[in-house]
Amino acid sequence: MFDFLRNWTKSAEDKHQEAITAYLDNALSPAERQRFEQQMAQDPALQAEVAQQQQTRALLRQLPPRQVPRNFTLDPALYGRPARQPLITYYPALRAATVLTAVLFFFVIGLNLFMGGSASMAPAADMAVSQLTAETTSEEPTAGMAFESAPAAAPFSVEEPALEEAASDSAAIELAATAAAPLPAVPTPAATQAPEAQTAPLPTATVSNLPRPIATEVVAERAATAEITAPLPTQPETDTAVTNITPPIEAVDILTQPQETSTQTPAPSIDLLAVAPIGLLVLLALLSILTLYARRKLP
Amino acid sequence: MDEAALIEQAKKGDVTAYNRLVLAHQQVVYNVAYRIMGQPQAAEDVTQETFIAAYKALHSFREGSLKAWLLRIATNRCYDELRKWQRRPQSSLDDLAEENESFAFLRDPALGPEEQQQRVELVQAIERCLQGLPADQRATAVLCDVEGYDYEEIAHITRVSLGTVKSRLSRARSKLRDCLQGVQELLPAAYRLGNET
Protein backbone atom coordinates (compact mmCIF):
# COMPACT_ATOMS: atom_id res chain seq x y z
CA MET A 1 0.00 0.00 0.00
CA PHE A 2 2.84 2.32 0.91
CA ASP A 3 5.23 0.97 -1.69
CA PHE A 4 5.23 4.28 -3.51
CA LEU A 5 6.42 5.96 -0.31
CA ARG A 6 9.13 3.36 0.16
CA ASN A 7 10.25 3.82 -3.44
CA TRP A 8 10.36 7.53 -2.91
CA THR A 9 12.60 7.30 0.15
CA LYS A 10 14.83 4.54 -1.22
CA SER A 11 18.44 5.37 -1.94
CA ALA A 12 19.89 4.98 -5.43
CA GLU A 13 22.04 2.10 -4.20
CA ASP A 14 18.99 0.27 -2.81
CA LYS A 15 17.19 0.70 -6.13
CA HIS A 16 20.27 -0.53 -7.96
CA GLN A 17 20.50 -3.66 -5.80
CA GLU A 18 16.78 -4.33 -6.12
CA ALA A 19 17.04 -4.08 -9.88
CA ILE A 20 19.77 -6.74 -9.87
CA THR A 21 17.70 -9.00 -7.61
CA ALA A 22 14.60 -8.55 -9.73
CA TYR A 23 16.59 -9.20 -12.89
CA LEU A 24 17.93 -12.48 -11.54
CA ASP A 25 14.46 -13.57 -10.41
CA ASN A 26 12.81 -12.61 -13.70
CA ALA A 27 10.70 -10.07 -11.86
CA LEU A 28 11.34 -7.18 -14.26
CA SER A 29 8.89 -6.19 -16.95
CA PRO A 30 10.12 -6.81 -20.55
CA ALA A 31 10.86 -3.10 -21.00
CA GLU A 32 12.72 -2.89 -17.67
CA ARG A 33 14.63 -6.05 -18.47
CA GLN A 34 15.71 -4.71 -21.85
CA ARG A 35 16.81 -1.43 -20.30
CA PHE A 36 18.73 -3.31 -17.59
CA GLU A 37 20.48 -5.54 -20.11
CA GLN A 38 21.48 -2.53 -22.19
CA GLN A 39 22.90 -0.91 -19.08
CA MET A 40 24.69 -4.11 -18.14
CA ALA A 41 26.26 -4.42 -21.60
CA GLN A 42 27.89 -1.02 -21.13
CA ASP A 43 28.88 -1.43 -17.50
CA PRO A 44 31.39 -4.17 -16.54
CA ALA A 45 31.02 -3.38 -12.83
CA LEU A 46 27.32 -4.08 -13.07
CA GLN A 47 28.06 -7.33 -14.87
CA ALA A 48 30.35 -8.38 -12.04
CA GLU A 49 27.72 -7.51 -9.44
CA VAL A 50 25.09 -9.52 -11.27
CA ALA A 51 27.48 -12.47 -11.49
CA GLN A 52 28.18 -12.31 -7.75
CA GLN A 53 24.52 -12.19 -6.86
CA GLN A 54 23.88 -15.08 -9.20
CA GLN A 55 26.56 -17.13 -7.46
CA THR A 56 25.16 -16.28 -4.04
CA ARG A 57 21.76 -17.38 -5.18
CA ALA A 58 23.16 -20.59 -6.63
CA LEU A 59 25.00 -21.31 -3.38
CA LEU A 60 21.82 -20.99 -1.37
CA ARG A 61 20.11 -23.36 -3.76
CA GLN A 62 22.90 -25.81 -3.05
CA LEU A 63 21.65 -26.25 0.47
CA PRO A 64 20.34 -29.80 0.66
CA PRO A 65 16.89 -30.33 2.15
CA ARG A 66 16.86 -31.75 5.63
CA GLN A 67 15.00 -34.90 6.39
CA VAL A 68 12.38 -34.55 9.09
CA PRO A 69 13.62 -36.12 12.33
CA ARG A 70 10.18 -37.62 12.99
CA ASN A 71 6.59 -37.42 11.89
CA PHE A 72 4.56 -34.50 13.18
CA THR A 73 1.19 -36.20 12.99
CA LEU A 74 -1.34 -35.54 15.73
CA ASP A 75 -2.61 -38.15 18.14
CA PRO A 76 -6.33 -38.70 17.40
CA ALA A 77 -6.92 -39.45 21.06
CA LEU A 78 -5.71 -35.99 22.05
CA TYR A 79 -7.21 -33.88 19.31
CA GLY A 80 -10.92 -33.86 18.75
CA ARG A 81 -12.91 -31.84 16.30
CA PRO A 82 -11.32 -28.42 15.71
CA ALA A 83 -13.47 -25.81 17.42
CA ARG A 84 -14.84 -22.85 15.53
CA GLN A 85 -13.07 -19.66 16.47
CA PRO A 86 -15.32 -16.82 15.37
CA LEU A 87 -12.77 -14.12 16.18
CA ILE A 88 -10.22 -15.74 13.88
CA THR A 89 -12.80 -16.56 11.24
CA TYR A 90 -14.10 -13.00 11.15
CA TYR A 91 -10.74 -11.32 11.60
CA PRO A 92 -10.69 -9.87 8.06
CA ALA A 93 -14.19 -8.44 8.56
CA LEU A 94 -13.21 -7.00 11.94
CA ARG A 95 -10.15 -5.38 10.45
CA ALA A 96 -12.17 -3.89 7.60
CA ALA A 97 -14.79 -2.58 10.03
CA THR A 98 -12.08 -0.97 12.16
CA VAL A 99 -10.59 0.79 9.15
CA LEU A 100 -14.02 1.95 7.97
CA THR A 101 -14.92 3.27 11.40
CA ALA A 102 -11.62 5.13 11.61
CA VAL A 103 -12.23 6.71 8.21
CA LEU A 104 -15.77 7.68 9.19
CA PHE A 105 -14.55 9.10 12.49
CA PHE A 106 -12.04 11.38 10.81
CA PHE A 107 -14.59 12.33 8.18
CA VAL A 108 -17.07 13.40 10.86
CA ILE A 109 -14.36 15.30 12.71
CA GLY A 110 -13.46 17.07 9.48
CA LEU A 111 -17.11 17.77 8.77
CA ASN A 112 -17.54 19.19 12.26
CA LEU A 113 -14.60 21.52 11.78
CA PHE A 114 -15.85 22.53 8.35
CA MET A 115 -19.40 23.17 9.56
CA GLY A 116 -18.13 25.09 12.56
CA GLY A 117 -15.98 27.22 10.30
CA SER A 118 -18.72 27.97 7.82
CA ALA A 119 -21.30 28.62 10.55
CA SER A 120 -19.15 31.36 12.04
CA MET A 121 -19.40 33.16 8.72
CA ALA A 122 -23.20 33.37 8.87
CA PRO A 123 -24.64 36.83 9.35
CA ALA A 124 -26.14 37.86 12.63
CA ALA A 125 -29.55 38.14 11.12
CA ASP A 126 -29.58 34.48 10.18
CA MET A 127 -28.50 33.63 13.68
CA ALA A 128 -31.22 35.64 15.27
CA VAL A 129 -33.81 34.08 13.01
CA SER A 130 -32.67 30.56 13.66
CA GLN A 131 -32.39 31.17 17.39
CA LEU A 132 -35.76 32.74 17.75
CA THR A 133 -37.49 30.38 15.38
CA ALA A 134 -36.52 27.57 17.66
CA GLU A 135 -37.92 29.44 20.65
CA THR A 136 -41.12 30.62 19.09
CA THR A 137 -41.97 27.31 17.52
CA SER A 138 -41.38 25.44 20.71
CA GLU A 139 -42.90 27.88 23.16
CA GLU A 140 -45.30 30.28 21.50
CA PRO A 141 -47.07 28.82 18.54
CA THR A 142 -49.00 31.98 17.62
CA ALA A 143 -45.95 34.13 17.74
CA GLY A 144 -44.08 31.55 15.75
CA MET A 145 -46.77 31.46 13.13
CA ALA A 146 -46.85 35.20 13.02
CA PHE A 147 -43.11 35.27 12.65
CA GLU A 148 -43.28 32.91 9.74
CA SER A 149 -45.59 35.32 8.00
CA ALA A 150 -43.50 38.30 9.03
CA PRO A 151 -41.28 38.48 5.98
CA ALA A 152 -44.33 38.51 3.77
CA ALA A 153 -45.99 41.10 5.99
CA ALA A 154 -42.99 43.36 6.15
CA PRO A 155 -44.55 45.92 3.83
CA PHE A 156 -46.84 48.21 5.81
CA SER A 157 -50.12 47.15 4.28
CA VAL A 158 -50.89 44.65 7.07
CA GLU A 159 -52.53 45.81 10.28
CA GLU A 160 -53.60 42.52 11.90
CA PRO A 161 -53.08 42.32 15.65
CA ALA A 162 -51.22 39.04 15.27
CA LEU A 163 -48.68 40.71 13.09
CA GLU A 164 -48.39 43.57 15.50
CA GLU A 165 -47.81 41.07 18.23
CA ALA A 166 -45.26 39.31 16.15
CA ALA A 167 -43.57 42.56 15.40
CA SER A 168 -43.53 43.52 19.02
CA ASP A 169 -42.64 39.99 20.00
CA SER A 170 -39.16 40.42 18.72
CA ALA A 171 -37.84 43.41 17.01
CA ALA A 172 -34.74 41.42 16.28
CA ILE A 173 -36.82 39.16 14.10
CA GLU A 174 -37.92 42.20 12.21
CA LEU A 175 -34.38 43.29 11.93
CA ALA A 176 -33.53 39.97 10.50
CA ALA A 177 -36.59 40.01 8.34
CA THR A 178 -35.68 43.35 6.87
CA ALA A 179 -32.46 41.81 5.72
CA ALA A 180 -34.36 39.14 3.83
CA ALA A 181 -37.73 40.78 3.14
CA PRO A 182 -38.32 43.64 0.74
CA LEU A 183 -37.64 47.00 2.29
CA PRO A 184 -40.63 49.15 3.24
CA ALA A 185 -41.84 51.56 0.67
CA VAL A 186 -41.68 54.39 3.18
CA PRO A 187 -38.16 54.96 4.35
CA THR A 188 -37.85 54.34 8.04
CA PRO A 189 -34.92 54.24 10.38
CA ALA A 190 -35.24 50.46 10.30
CA ALA A 191 -33.95 50.61 6.79
CA THR A 192 -30.76 52.06 8.10
CA GLN A 193 -30.46 49.14 10.48
CA ALA A 194 -30.58 46.60 7.73
CA PRO A 195 -27.05 47.08 6.44
CA GLU A 196 -25.80 46.92 9.99
CA ALA A 197 -27.53 43.61 10.47
CA GLN A 198 -26.07 42.36 7.25
CA THR A 199 -22.57 43.66 7.65
CA ALA A 200 -22.08 43.06 11.33
CA PRO A 201 -22.21 39.28 11.83
CA LEU A 202 -22.55 37.93 15.28
CA PRO A 203 -19.96 35.44 16.37
CA THR A 204 -22.28 32.62 15.55
CA ALA A 205 -20.31 29.84 17.13
CA THR A 206 -20.23 31.79 20.37
CA VAL A 207 -23.89 32.54 20.32
CA SER A 208 -24.89 29.03 19.44
CA ASN A 209 -22.67 27.66 22.15
CA LEU A 210 -24.02 30.05 24.76
CA PRO A 211 -26.71 28.83 27.10
CA ARG A 212 -30.12 29.73 25.77
CA PRO A 213 -31.06 32.45 28.25
CA ILE A 214 -27.87 34.38 27.54
CA ALA A 215 -28.41 34.16 23.81
CA THR A 216 -31.95 35.38 24.29
CA GLU A 217 -30.64 38.26 26.35
CA VAL A 218 -28.34 39.30 23.58
CA VAL A 219 -31.15 39.14 21.08
CA ALA A 220 -33.49 40.96 23.46
CA GLU A 221 -30.95 43.72 23.96
CA ARG A 222 -30.54 44.09 20.26
CA ALA A 223 -34.28 44.04 19.84
CA ALA A 224 -34.74 46.74 22.43
CA THR A 225 -32.17 49.02 20.87
CA ALA A 226 -33.64 48.37 17.47
CA GLU A 227 -37.06 49.35 18.77
CA ILE A 228 -35.77 52.58 20.09
CA THR A 229 -34.10 53.51 16.84
CA ALA A 230 -36.58 51.88 14.53
CA PRO A 231 -40.32 52.35 14.99
CA LEU A 232 -42.49 49.43 14.08
CA PRO A 233 -43.36 49.33 10.42
CA THR A 234 -46.99 48.48 11.21
CA GLN A 235 -47.46 51.85 12.85
CA PRO A 236 -48.20 54.67 10.48
CA GLU A 237 -45.77 57.53 10.64
CA THR A 238 -48.54 59.93 11.50
CA ASP A 239 -49.23 58.10 14.76
CA THR A 240 -48.55 59.79 18.00
CA ALA A 241 -45.44 59.32 19.99
CA VAL A 242 -47.38 57.21 22.44
CA THR A 243 -47.79 54.43 19.94
CA ASN A 244 -44.14 54.69 19.17
CA ILE A 245 -43.20 54.35 22.78
CA THR A 246 -45.61 51.71 23.96
CA PRO A 247 -44.70 48.87 21.63
CA PRO A 248 -41.09 48.69 22.76
CA ILE A 249 -42.29 48.24 26.32
CA GLU A 250 -44.54 45.42 25.22
CA ALA A 251 -41.75 44.03 23.16
CA VAL A 252 -39.46 43.97 26.08
CA ASP A 253 -42.15 42.35 28.23
CA ILE A 254 -42.86 39.70 25.71
CA LEU A 255 -39.25 39.14 24.97
CA THR A 256 -38.47 38.65 28.60
CA GLN A 257 -41.17 36.00 28.95
CA PRO A 258 -39.51 33.39 26.78
CA GLN A 259 -36.29 34.25 28.49
CA GLU A 260 -37.77 33.25 31.83
CA THR A 261 -39.43 30.16 30.50
CA SER A 262 -36.32 29.13 28.71
CA THR A 263 -34.38 29.30 31.93
CA GLN A 264 -36.91 26.93 33.47
CA THR A 265 -37.07 24.44 30.65
CA PRO A 266 -34.13 24.68 28.28
CA ALA A 267 -34.99 23.39 24.84
CA PRO A 268 -33.23 20.10 24.17
CA SER A 269 -31.06 20.59 21.13
CA ILE A 270 -28.92 17.50 20.47
CA ASP A 271 -26.37 18.27 17.81
CA LEU A 272 -25.82 15.04 15.93
CA LEU A 273 -22.52 16.25 14.54
CA ALA A 274 -21.26 16.86 18.05
CA VAL A 275 -22.38 13.47 19.36
CA ALA A 276 -21.35 11.37 16.37
CA PRO A 277 -17.56 11.64 16.91
CA ILE A 278 -17.91 10.46 20.49
CA GLY A 279 -19.99 7.47 19.43
CA LEU A 280 -17.61 6.67 16.60
CA LEU A 281 -14.62 6.98 18.89
CA VAL A 282 -16.13 4.50 21.33
CA LEU A 283 -16.96 2.13 18.46
CA LEU A 284 -13.46 2.51 17.05
CA ALA A 285 -11.89 1.71 20.41
CA LEU A 286 -14.05 -1.40 20.78
CA LEU A 287 -13.32 -2.62 17.26
CA SER A 288 -9.60 -1.96 17.68
CA ILE A 289 -9.49 -4.01 20.87
CA LEU A 290 -11.39 -6.86 19.22
CA THR A 291 -9.18 -6.75 16.13
CA LEU A 292 -5.99 -6.76 18.16
CA TYR A 293 -7.30 -9.62 20.27
CA ALA A 294 -8.26 -11.59 17.16
CA ARG A 295 -4.86 -10.87 15.64
CA ARG A 296 -3.16 -12.29 18.68
CA LYS A 297 -5.29 -15.39 18.38
CA LEU A 298 -4.29 -15.93 14.76
CA PRO A 299 -2.30 -19.14 14.33
CA MET B 1 -8.19 -38.23 -2.10
CA ASP B 2 -7.43 -34.63 -2.98
CA GLU B 3 -6.29 -31.98 -0.56
CA ALA B 4 -9.57 -30.04 -0.47
CA ALA B 5 -11.50 -33.16 0.52
CA LEU B 6 -8.98 -33.96 3.24
CA ILE B 7 -9.29 -30.43 4.58
CA GLU B 8 -13.06 -30.72 4.71
CA GLN B 9 -12.83 -34.02 6.55
CA ALA B 10 -10.28 -32.59 8.96
CA LYS B 11 -12.57 -29.66 9.65
CA LYS B 12 -15.21 -32.17 10.69
CA GLY B 13 -12.80 -33.65 13.21
CA ASP B 14 -11.15 -36.38 11.19
CA VAL B 15 -7.63 -36.33 12.64
CA THR B 16 -6.54 -39.15 10.35
CA ALA B 17 -7.37 -37.03 7.30
CA TYR B 18 -5.48 -34.14 8.86
CA ASN B 19 -2.49 -36.38 9.52
CA ARG B 20 -2.34 -37.18 5.83
CA LEU B 21 -2.01 -33.48 5.17
CA VAL B 22 0.69 -33.27 7.84
CA LEU B 23 2.68 -36.01 6.16
CA ALA B 24 2.38 -34.25 2.82
CA HIS B 25 3.68 -30.90 4.12
CA GLN B 26 5.90 -31.64 7.10
CA GLN B 27 9.09 -31.72 5.06
CA VAL B 28 8.76 -28.21 3.68
CA VAL B 29 7.51 -26.77 6.98
CA TYR B 30 10.35 -28.33 8.90
CA ASN B 31 12.97 -27.14 6.40
CA VAL B 32 11.75 -23.55 6.42
CA ALA B 33 11.61 -23.60 10.22
CA TYR B 34 15.11 -25.05 10.37
CA ARG B 35 16.60 -22.43 8.01
CA ILE B 36 15.01 -19.61 9.94
CA MET B 37 15.76 -20.96 13.40
CA GLY B 38 19.13 -22.47 12.58
CA GLN B 39 18.64 -25.22 15.12
CA PRO B 40 17.16 -28.70 14.60
CA GLN B 41 15.47 -28.88 17.99
CA ALA B 42 13.89 -25.45 17.67
CA ALA B 43 12.76 -26.28 14.14
CA GLU B 44 11.18 -29.47 15.42
CA ASP B 45 9.27 -27.59 18.10
CA VAL B 46 8.12 -24.94 15.66
CA THR B 47 6.97 -27.55 13.17
CA GLN B 48 4.96 -29.43 15.76
CA GLU B 49 3.39 -26.21 17.08
CA THR B 50 2.58 -25.18 13.53
CA PHE B 51 0.60 -28.34 12.83
CA ILE B 52 -1.21 -28.16 16.14
CA ALA B 53 -2.10 -24.47 15.66
CA ALA B 54 -3.17 -25.13 12.08
CA TYR B 55 -5.47 -27.93 13.16
CA LYS B 56 -7.07 -25.77 15.83
CA ALA B 57 -7.58 -22.91 13.39
CA LEU B 58 -8.55 -25.05 10.43
CA HIS B 59 -12.00 -23.44 10.26
CA SER B 60 -10.39 -20.10 9.45
CA PHE B 61 -8.66 -21.59 6.42
CA ARG B 62 -10.92 -20.67 3.52
CA GLU B 63 -9.23 -21.25 0.23
CA GLY B 64 -5.89 -21.02 -1.51
CA SER B 65 -2.76 -22.96 -0.86
CA LEU B 66 -2.64 -24.97 2.35
CA LYS B 67 1.13 -25.11 2.06
CA ALA B 68 1.39 -21.30 1.94
CA TRP B 69 -0.97 -21.06 4.93
CA LEU B 70 1.10 -23.57 6.89
CA LEU B 71 4.30 -21.72 6.01
CA ARG B 72 2.74 -18.48 7.16
CA ILE B 73 1.95 -20.06 10.51
CA ALA B 74 5.44 -21.53 10.68
CA THR B 75 7.22 -18.25 9.90
CA ASN B 76 5.08 -16.43 12.48
CA ARG B 77 5.98 -19.08 15.05
CA CYS B 78 9.64 -18.68 14.15
CA TYR B 79 9.44 -14.91 14.62
CA ASP B 80 7.75 -15.41 18.00
CA GLU B 81 10.38 -17.89 19.06
CA LEU B 82 13.24 -15.65 17.90
CA ARG B 83 11.73 -12.75 19.84
CA LYS B 84 11.67 -14.94 22.93
CA TRP B 85 15.31 -15.81 22.35
CA GLN B 86 16.19 -12.15 22.09
CA ARG B 87 14.56 -11.53 25.45
CA ARG B 88 16.06 -14.64 27.07
CA PRO B 89 19.22 -15.60 25.19
CA GLN B 90 19.73 -19.34 25.34
CA SER B 91 22.62 -21.46 24.16
CA SER B 92 24.72 -20.09 21.32
CA LEU B 93 23.42 -20.89 17.85
CA ASP B 94 26.98 -21.26 16.60
CA ASP B 95 27.72 -23.99 19.10
CA LEU B 96 24.61 -25.83 18.16
CA ALA B 97 25.20 -25.43 14.46
CA GLU B 98 28.58 -26.99 14.82
CA GLU B 99 27.18 -30.15 16.24
CA ASN B 100 28.33 -32.82 13.86
CA GLU B 101 25.20 -34.75 14.53
CA SER B 102 23.02 -32.10 12.92
CA PHE B 103 24.96 -32.48 9.67
CA ALA B 104 24.83 -36.23 9.62
CA PHE B 105 22.28 -36.03 6.84
CA LEU B 106 24.97 -34.70 4.55
CA ARG B 107 27.02 -37.85 4.73
CA ASP B 108 27.15 -39.47 1.36
CA PRO B 109 28.86 -42.84 1.05
CA ALA B 110 29.73 -42.05 -2.56
CA LEU B 111 31.95 -39.17 -1.49
CA GLY B 112 35.38 -39.49 0.01
CA PRO B 113 36.03 -38.27 3.55
CA GLU B 114 37.71 -35.06 2.37
CA GLU B 115 34.89 -34.19 0.00
CA GLN B 116 32.36 -34.94 2.65
CA GLN B 117 34.15 -32.66 5.06
CA GLN B 118 34.24 -29.88 2.46
CA ARG B 119 30.56 -30.29 1.84
CA VAL B 120 29.74 -30.05 5.51
CA GLU B 121 31.90 -26.95 5.84
CA LEU B 122 30.25 -25.32 2.87
CA VAL B 123 26.79 -25.92 4.25
CA GLN B 124 27.89 -24.69 7.65
CA ALA B 125 29.33 -21.54 6.11
CA ILE B 126 26.13 -20.78 4.22
CA GLU B 127 23.97 -21.47 7.25
CA ARG B 128 26.14 -19.28 9.43
CA CYS B 129 25.81 -16.46 6.91
CA LEU B 130 22.07 -16.99 6.83
CA GLN B 131 21.93 -16.80 10.60
CA GLY B 132 23.72 -13.47 10.45
CA LEU B 133 20.75 -11.90 8.68
CA PRO B 134 17.86 -10.20 10.44
CA ALA B 135 14.93 -12.61 10.85
CA ASP B 136 12.69 -10.99 8.23
CA GLN B 137 15.43 -10.94 5.59
CA ARG B 138 16.42 -14.49 6.47
CA ALA B 139 12.87 -15.76 6.07
CA THR B 140 12.59 -14.02 2.69
CA ALA B 141 15.91 -15.39 1.46
CA VAL B 142 15.06 -18.90 2.65
CA LEU B 143 11.65 -18.85 0.98
CA CYS B 144 13.00 -17.45 -2.28
CA ASP B 145 16.48 -18.86 -2.70
CA VAL B 146 16.32 -22.10 -0.72
CA GLU B 147 12.70 -23.14 -1.17
CA GLY B 148 12.19 -21.49 -4.55
CA TYR B 149 8.98 -19.50 -3.95
CA ASP B 150 8.21 -16.51 -6.13
CA TYR B 151 7.75 -12.95 -4.86
CA GLU B 152 3.98 -13.10 -4.72
CA GLU B 153 3.95 -16.33 -2.74
CA ILE B 154 6.49 -14.89 -0.32
CA ALA B 155 4.43 -11.72 0.05
CA HIS B 156 1.41 -13.89 0.86
CA ILE B 157 3.28 -16.10 3.31
CA THR B 158 5.02 -13.29 5.17
CA ARG B 159 2.06 -10.88 4.93
CA VAL B 160 4.04 -8.03 3.43
CA SER B 161 3.85 -6.15 0.17
CA LEU B 162 5.66 -7.13 -2.98
CA GLY B 163 7.92 -4.11 -2.65
CA THR B 164 8.94 -5.20 0.84
CA VAL B 165 9.77 -8.67 -0.44
CA LYS B 166 12.00 -7.21 -3.16
CA SER B 167 13.68 -4.90 -0.72
CA ARG B 168 14.28 -7.61 1.90
CA LEU B 169 15.56 -10.06 -0.64
CA SER B 170 17.93 -7.56 -2.18
CA ARG B 171 19.38 -6.64 1.21
CA ALA B 172 19.60 -10.26 2.25
CA ARG B 173 21.51 -11.21 -0.89
CA SER B 174 23.89 -8.29 -0.56
CA LYS B 175 24.69 -9.26 3.03
CA LEU B 176 25.02 -12.92 2.13
CA ARG B 177 27.38 -12.05 -0.69
CA ASP B 178 29.54 -10.00 1.68
CA CYS B 179 29.48 -12.79 4.26
CA LEU B 180 30.34 -15.50 1.76
CA GLN B 181 33.23 -13.46 0.39
CA GLY B 182 34.74 -13.83 3.84
CA VAL B 183 34.69 -17.63 3.59
CA GLN B 184 35.90 -17.93 0.00
CA GLU B 185 38.26 -20.79 0.78
CA LEU B 186 35.33 -22.96 1.81
CA LEU B 187 33.42 -22.40 -1.38
CA PRO B 188 33.73 -24.68 -4.38
CA ALA B 189 35.78 -23.08 -7.15
CA ALA B 190 32.70 -22.56 -9.32
CA TYR B 191 31.01 -20.57 -6.59
CA ARG B 192 33.89 -18.36 -5.49
CA LEU B 193 32.69 -14.83 -5.65
CA GLY B 194 34.75 -12.28 -7.54
CA ASN B 195 36.12 -9.42 -5.48
CA GLU B 196 35.33 -6.72 -7.99
CA THR B 197 32.18 -4.78 -7.28
Side-chain angles (χ1 to χ4, degrees), chain B residues 1-112:
Chain B
M1 193 178 285
D2 69 337
E3 194 172 272
L6 287 173
I7 292 168
E8 282 311 309
Q9 283 193 353
K11 279 183 180 177
K12 288 173 188 160
D14 186 346
V15 182
T16 311
Y18 182 72
N19 281 340
R20 288 176 70 182
L21 294 168
V22 172
L23 291 173
H25 296 294
Q26 62 182 8
Q27 177 79 22
V28 68
V29 172
Y30 174 76
N31 269 278
V32 167
Y34 174 73
R35 302 291 175 212
I36 297 175
M37 301 302 292
Q39 225 195 74
Q41 187 55 51
E44 212 177 307
D45 292 346
V46 164
T47 308
Q48 188 65 79
E49 283 171 18
T50 298
F51 285 116
I52 294 170
Y55 182 70
K56 286 180 178 170
L58 206 55
H59 278 295
S60 66
F61 175 72
R62 297 272 177 203
E63 55 190 23
S65 161
L66 180 70
K67 187 164 77 170
W69 187 65
L70 289 170
L71 287 178
R72 180 192 280 193
I73 298 172
T75 47
N76 282 340
R77 295 266 152 184
C78 288
Y79 289 156
D80 288 347
E81 203 58 37
L82 289 170
R83 269 195 290 269
K84 279 185 203 163
W85 283 4
Q86 279 178 349
R87 283 198 293 267
R88 290 180 280 114
Q90 295 182 344
S91 52
S92 159
L93 288 180
D94 287 344
D95 294 345
L96 289 162
E98 278 172 11
E99 283 174 11
N100 283 332
E101 194 55 37
S102 73
F103 291 94
F105 75 103
L106 290 172
R107 284 180 197 138
D108 184 353
L111 297 172

